[in-house]
Amino acid sequence: MNILLGLITMAICLVLQASLASVAIRYYGRRDAKIADGGPFATLSVIIGVMVLLLVGIFAQIGIWAGLFVGLNEFDEFADAFYHSAVNFATLDYGDIVMSEAHRILGPLQAVNGVLMIGVATAVLMAAFQDAFKKRGR
């Protein structure tokens, strides 16, 4: 049951990250002239906008996992669940807070999810950087 819950949560996170990656790409594309004609600070502001959109997706995913942990009664406080979720998502493995044996398989599942979704965000951000450098070089 835990693996099924984890896979469903991973699928929700994938849809969310793909949606926000798409929004970030559209945001970037709509600012083509600002990048090509503006100065370095204009380009930087567009890249920061892309980064913020991607970070919103990552933090939302951490919150979704935290909500699952609270729903499973692993944590009484959402703040504790969010912290634990962030540690899992970033694969830090502090070990200062651990879940019960009944649900501990969700930690590694979330870590795999985090690696994949951070990778997606990194790919989108790198594509924006590379395109901006090409446009600024013209």
Side-chain angles (χ1 to χ4, degrees), residues 20-96:
L20 278 165
S22 177
V23 169
I25 291 166
R26 278 182 290 186
Y27 168 86
Y28 178 83
R30 288 188 194 126
R31 283 146 185 85
D32 221 21
K34 187 174 184 178
I35 293 166
D37 302 332
F41 291 111
T43 301
L44 181 62
S45 71
V46 172
I47 296 295
I48 288 171
V50 170
M51 189 180 309
V52 166
L53 287 167
L54 295 169
L55 283 172
V56 165
I58 288 170
F59 283 115
Q61 291 174 71
I62 290 169
I64 289 168
W65 280 95
L68 174 63
F69 299 155
V70 170
L72 292 171
N73 294 317
E74 283 293 324
F75 298 94
D76 294 328
E77 300 291 327
F78 184 80
D80 292 335
F82 192 88
Y83 167 77
H84 179 73
S85 179
V87 168
N88 284 345
F89 201 85
T91 69
L92 292 174
D93 190 32
Y94 286 153
D96 56 339

Side-chain angles (χ1 to χ4, degrees), residues 10 19 40 44 49 55 73 81 88 102 121 125 127 129 131-133:
M10 289 173 83
S19 299
L44 181 62
L55 283 172
N73 294 317
N88 284 345
L125 192 56
F129 269 120
D131 188 66
F133 284 130

